[in-house]
CSV table of all heavy atoms in Angstrom, one decimal:
chain,number,residue,atom,x,y,z
A,47,ARG,N,8.0,18.5,8.7
A,47,ARG,CA,8.9,18.9,9.8
A,47,ARG,C,8.8,20.4,10.1
A,47,ARG,O,9.0,20.9,11.2
A,47,ARG,CB,10.3,18.5,9.6
A,47,ARG,CG,10.5,17.0,9.6
A,47,ARG,CD,11.9,16.5,9.7
A,47,ARG,NE,12.0,15.1,9.4
A,47,ARG,CZ,12.2,14.6,8.2
A,47,ARG,NH1,12.5,15.5,7.2
A,47,ARG,NH2,12.3,13.3,8.0
A,48,SER,N,8.6,21.2,9.0
A,48,SER,CA,8.7,22.6,9.1
A,48,SER,C,7.3,23.3,8.8
A,48,SER,O,6.4,22.6,8.4
A,48,SER,CB,9.7,23.2,8.1
A,48,SER,OG,9.2,23.0,6.8
A,49,GLU,N,7.3,24.6,9.1
A,49,GLU,CA,6.1,25.3,8.8
A,49,GLU,C,5.7,25.2,7.4
A,49,GLU,O,4.6,25.1,7.0
A,49,GLU,CB,6.5,26.8,9.2
A,49,GLU,CG,5.3,27.7,9.5
A,49,GLU,CD,5.9,29.1,9.7
A,49,GLU,OE1,6.8,29.2,10.6
A,49,GLU,OE2,5.5,30.0,9.1
A,50,ARG,N,6.8,25.3,6.5
A,50,ARG,CA,6.5,25.3,5.1
A,50,ARG,C,6.0,23.9,4.6
A,50,ARG,O,5.2,23.8,3.7
A,50,ARG,CB,7.7,25.7,4.3
A,50,ARG,CG,7.9,27.2,4.5
A,50,ARG,CD,8.9,27.7,3.5
A,50,ARG,NE,9.1,29.2,3.8
A,50,ARG,CZ,9.8,30.0,3.0
A,50,ARG,NH1,10.4,29.5,1.9
A,50,ARG,NH2,9.9,31.2,3.3
A,51,ASP,N,6.6,22.8,5.2
A,51,ASP,CA,6.1,21.5,4.9
A,51,ASP,C,4.6,21.4,5.3
A,51,ASP,O,3.8,20.8,4.5
A,51,ASP,CB,6.8,20.4,5.8
A,51,ASP,CG,8.3,20.3,5.4
A,51,ASP,OD1,8.7,20.6,4.3
A,51,ASP,OD2,9.1,19.8,6.3
A,52,ALA,N,4.3,21.8,6.5
A,52,ALA,CA,2.9,21.7,7.0
A,52,ALA,C,2.0,22.5,6.0
A,52,ALA,O,0.9,22.0,5.7
A,52,ALA,CB,2.8,22.3,8.4
A,53,LEU,N,2.4,23.7,5.6
A,53,LEU,CA,1.5,24.4,4.7
A,53,LEU,C,1.4,23.7,3.3
A,53,LEU,O,0.3,23.6,2.8
A,53,LEU,CB,2.1,25.8,4.5
A,53,LEU,CG,1.3,26.7,3.5
A,53,LEU,CD1,-0.1,27.0,4.1
A,53,LEU,CD2,2.0,28.1,3.3
A,54,ALA,N,2.5,23.2,2.8
A,54,ALA,CA,2.4,22.5,1.5
A,54,ALA,C,1.5,21.3,1.6
A,54,ALA,O,0.6,21.1,0.7
A,54,ALA,CB,3.8,22.0,1.1
A,55,TYR,N,1.6,20.6,2.7
A,55,TYR,CA,0.7,19.4,2.9
A,55,TYR,C,-0.8,19.9,3.0
A,55,TYR,O,-1.6,19.3,2.3
A,55,TYR,CB,1.1,18.7,4.2
A,55,TYR,CG,0.0,17.7,4.6
A,55,TYR,CD1,-0.1,16.4,4.0
A,55,TYR,CD2,-0.9,18.0,5.6
A,55,TYR,CE1,-1.1,15.5,4.3
A,55,TYR,CE2,-1.9,17.1,5.9
A,55,TYR,CZ,-2.0,15.9,5.3
A,55,TYR,OH,-3.0,15.0,5.6
A,56,ALA,N,-1.0,20.9,3.8
A,56,ALA,CA,-2.4,21.3,3.9
A,56,ALA,C,-3.0,21.9,2.6
A,56,ALA,O,-4.1,21.6,2.3
A,56,ALA,CB,-2.5,22.4,5.0
A,57,LEU,N,-2.2,22.6,1.9
A,57,LEU,CA,-2.7,23.1,0.6
A,57,LEU,C,-3.0,22.0,-0.4
A,57,LEU,O,-4.0,22.1,-1.1
A,57,LEU,CB,-1.7,24.1,0.0
A,57,LEU,CG,-1.6,25.5,0.6
A,57,LEU,CD1,-0.2,26.1,0.2
A,57,LEU,CD2,-2.7,26.4,0.1
A,58,ALA,N,-2.2,21.0,-0.4
A,58,ALA,CA,-2.4,19.9,-1.3
A,58,ALA,C,-3.5,18.9,-0.9
A,58,ALA,O,-4.2,18.4,-1.7
A,58,ALA,CB,-1.1,19.1,-1.5
A,59,ARG,N,-3.5,18.6,0.4
A,59,ARG,CA,-4.4,17.5,0.8
A,59,ARG,C,-5.6,17.9,1.6
A,59,ARG,O,-6.6,17.2,1.7
A,59,ARG,CB,-3.6,16.5,1.7
A,59,ARG,CG,-2.7,15.7,0.9
A,59,ARG,CD,-3.4,14.8,-0.1
A,59,ARG,NE,-4.2,13.7,0.6
A,59,ARG,CZ,-5.3,13.2,0.1
A,59,ARG,NH1,-5.8,13.6,-1.0
A,59,ARG,NH2,-6.0,12.3,0.8
A,60,MET,N,-5.6,19.1,2.3
A,60,MET,CA,-6.7,19.4,3.2
A,60,MET,C,-8.1,19.5,2.4
A,60,MET,O,-9.1,19.1,3.0
A,60,MET,CB,-6.4,20.7,3.9
A,60,MET,CG,-6.8,20.7,5.4
A,60,MET,SD,-6.3,22.2,6.2
A,60,MET,CE,-7.3,22.2,7.6
A,61,PRO,N,-8.1,20.1,1.2
A,61,PRO,CA,-9.4,20.1,0.5
A,61,PRO,C,-10.0,18.7,0.4
A,61,PRO,O,-11.2,18.5,0.5
A,61,PRO,CB,-9.1,20.8,-0.8
A,61,PRO,CG,-7.8,21.6,-0.6
A,61,PRO,CD,-7.0,20.8,0.4
A,62,ALA,N,-9.1,17.7,0.0
A,62,ALA,CA,-9.7,16.4,-0.2
A,62,ALA,C,-10.0,15.7,1.1
A,62,ALA,O,-11.1,15.0,1.2
A,62,ALA,CB,-8.7,15.6,-1.0
A,63,THR,N,-9.2,15.8,2.1
A,63,THR,CA,-9.5,15.1,3.3
A,63,THR,C,-10.7,15.7,4.0
A,63,THR,O,-11.6,15.1,4.6
A,63,THR,CB,-8.3,14.9,4.3
A,63,THR,OG1,-7.9,16.2,4.7
A,63,THR,CG2,-7.2,14.2,3.7
A,64,TYR,N,-10.8,17.0,3.9
A,64,TYR,CA,-12.0,17.8,4.4
A,64,TYR,C,-13.3,17.2,3.7
A,64,TYR,O,-14.3,16.9,4.3
A,64,TYR,CB,-11.9,19.3,4.1
A,64,TYR,CG,-13.1,20.1,4.6
A,64,TYR,CD1,-13.2,20.5,5.9
A,64,TYR,CD2,-14.1,20.3,3.7
A,64,TYR,CE1,-14.3,21.3,6.3
A,64,TYR,CE2,-15.2,21.1,4.1
A,64,TYR,CZ,-15.3,21.5,5.4
A,64,TYR,OH,-16.4,22.2,5.8
A,65,ALA,N,-13.2,17.1,2.3
A,65,ALA,CA,-14.4,16.7,1.6
A,65,ALA,C,-14.8,15.3,2.0
A,65,ALA,O,-16.0,14.9,2.0
A,65,ALA,CB,-14.1,16.8,0.1
A,66,ALA,N,-13.8,14.4,2.2
A,66,ALA,CA,-14.1,13.0,2.6
A,66,ALA,C,-14.7,13.0,4.0
A,66,ALA,O,-15.7,12.2,4.2
A,66,ALA,CB,-12.8,12.2,2.6
A,67,VAL,N,-14.2,13.8,4.9
A,67,VAL,CA,-14.9,13.8,6.2
A,67,VAL,C,-16.3,14.4,6.2
A,67,VAL,O,-17.2,13.8,6.8
A,67,VAL,CB,-14.0,14.6,7.2
A,67,VAL,CG1,-14.7,14.7,8.6
A,67,VAL,CG2,-12.6,14.0,7.4
A,68,ILE,N,-16.5,15.4,5.4
A,68,ILE,CA,-17.8,16.0,5.2
A,68,ILE,C,-18.8,14.9,4.6
A,68,ILE,O,-19.9,14.7,5.1
A,68,ILE,CB,-17.8,17.2,4.3
A,68,ILE,CG1,-17.2,18.4,5.1
A,68,ILE,CG2,-19.2,17.6,3.8
A,68,ILE,CD1,-18.1,19.0,6.2
A,69,ALA,N,-18.3,14.2,3.6
A,69,ALA,CA,-19.2,13.2,3.0
A,69,ALA,C,-19.5,12.1,4.0
A,69,ALA,O,-20.7,11.6,4.1
A,69,ALA,CB,-18.5,12.5,1.8
A,70,SER,N,-18.6,11.7,4.9
A,70,SER,CA,-18.8,10.7,5.9
A,70,SER,C,-19.8,11.2,6.9
A,70,SER,O,-20.7,10.5,7.4
A,70,SER,CB,-17.5,10.3,6.6
A,70,SER,OG,-16.5,10.0,5.6
A,71,LEU,N,-19.6,12.5,7.3
A,71,LEU,CA,-20.5,13.1,8.3
A,71,LEU,C,-21.9,13.2,7.8
A,71,LEU,O,-22.9,13.0,8.5
A,71,LEU,CB,-20.0,14.4,8.8
A,71,LEU,CG,-18.7,14.4,9.7
A,71,LEU,CD1,-18.2,15.8,9.9
A,71,LEU,CD2,-19.0,13.7,11.0
A,72,ASN,N,-22.0,13.6,6.5
A,72,ASN,CA,-23.3,13.7,5.8
A,72,ASN,C,-24.0,12.3,5.9
A,72,ASN,O,-25.2,12.2,6.2
A,72,ASN,CB,-23.2,14.1,4.4
A,72,ASN,CG,-23.0,15.6,4.3
A,72,ASN,OD1,-23.3,16.4,5.2
A,72,ASN,ND2,-22.4,16.1,3.2
A,73,ALA,N,-23.2,11.2,5.6
A,73,ALA,CA,-23.8,9.9,5.6
A,73,ALA,C,-24.3,9.5,7.0
A,73,ALA,O,-25.3,8.9,7.2
A,73,ALA,CB,-22.8,8.9,5.0
A,74,LEU,N,-23.5,9.9,7.9
A,74,LEU,CA,-23.8,9.6,9.3
A,74,LEU,C,-25.1,10.3,9.8
A,74,LEU,O,-26.0,9.7,10.4
A,74,LEU,CB,-22.6,10.0,10.2
A,74,LEU,CG,-22.9,10.1,11.7
A,74,LEU,CD1,-23.2,8.7,12.3
A,74,LEU,CD2,-21.7,10.7,12.5
A,75,ARG,N,-25.2,11.6,9.4
A,75,ARG,CA,-26.3,12.4,9.8
A,75,ARG,C,-27.6,11.8,9.2
A,75,ARG,O,-28.7,12.0,9.7
A,75,ARG,CB,-26.1,13.8,9.4
A,75,ARG,CG,-25.2,14.5,10.4
A,75,ARG,CD,-25.2,16.0,10.3
A,75,ARG,NE,-25.0,16.4,8.9
A,75,ARG,CZ,-25.2,17.6,8.4
A,75,ARG,NH1,-25.8,18.5,9.1
A,75,ARG,NH2,-25.0,17.8,7.1
A,76,GLU,N,-27.5,11.3,8.0
A,76,GLU,CA,-28.7,10.8,7.3
A,76,GLU,C,-29.2,9.6,8.1
A,76,GLU,O,-30.4,9.4,8.2
A,76,GLU,CB,-28.2,10.3,5.9
A,76,GLU,CG,-29.4,10.4,4.9
A,76,GLU,CD,-28.9,9.9,3.5
A,76,GLU,OE1,-27.7,9.8,3.3
A,76,GLU,OE2,-29.8,9.7,2.7
A,77,ILE,N,-28.3,8.8,8.7
A,77,ILE,CA,-28.8,7.6,9.4
A,77,ILE,C,-29.2,7.9,10.9
A,77,ILE,O,-30.0,7.3,11.5
A,77,ILE,CB,-27.7,6.5,9.4
A,77,ILE,CG1,-27.3,6.1,7.9
A,77,ILE,CG2,-28.0,5.3,10.2
A,77,ILE,CD1,-28.5,5.5,7.2
A,78,THR,N,-28.5,8.9,11.4
A,78,THR,CA,-28.8,9.3,12.8
A,78,THR,C,-29.1,10.8,12.9
A,78,THR,O,-28.4,11.6,13.4
A,78,THR,CB,-27.6,9.0,13.8
A,78,THR,OG1,-26.4,9.8,13.2
A,78,THR,CG2,-27.2,7.6,13.8
A,79,PRO,N,-30.3,11.2,12.3
A,79,PRO,CA,-30.7,12.6,12.2
A,79,PRO,C,-30.8,13.3,13.5
A,79,PRO,O,-30.7,14.5,13.6
A,79,PRO,CB,-32.0,12.6,11.4
A,79,PRO,CG,-32.5,11.2,11.4
A,79,PRO,CD,-31.3,10.3,11.7
A,80,GLN,N,-31.0,12.5,14.6
A,80,GLN,CA,-31.1,13.1,15.9
A,80,GLN,C,-29.8,13.5,16.5
A,80,GLN,O,-29.7,14.2,17.6
A,80,GLN,CB,-31.9,12.1,16.9
A,80,GLN,CG,-31.1,10.9,17.4
A,80,GLN,CD,-30.8,9.8,16.3
A,80,GLN,OE1,-31.3,10.0,15.2
A,80,GLN,NE2,-30.0,8.8,16.7
A,81,LEU,N,-28.7,13.0,15.9
A,81,LEU,CA,-27.3,13.3,16.5
A,81,LEU,C,-27.0,14.8,16.6
A,81,LEU,O,-27.0,15.4,15.5
A,81,LEU,CB,-26.3,12.5,15.7
A,81,LEU,CG,-24.8,12.6,16.2
A,81,LEU,CD1,-24.7,11.9,17.5
A,81,LEU,CD2,-23.9,11.9,15.2
Side-chain angles (χ1 to χ4, degrees):
R47 294 194 193 93
S48 68
E49 202 182 307
R50 290 193 181 187
D51 291 337
L53 180 63
Y55 168 76
L57 283 161
R59 284 297 292 153
M60 220 173 161
T63 59
Y64 178 88
V67 178
I68 286 289
S70 309
L71 290 172
N72 282 340
L74 166 66
R75 284 194 305 164
E76 208 179 347
I77 300 298
T78 57
Q80 74 289 356
L81 182 65

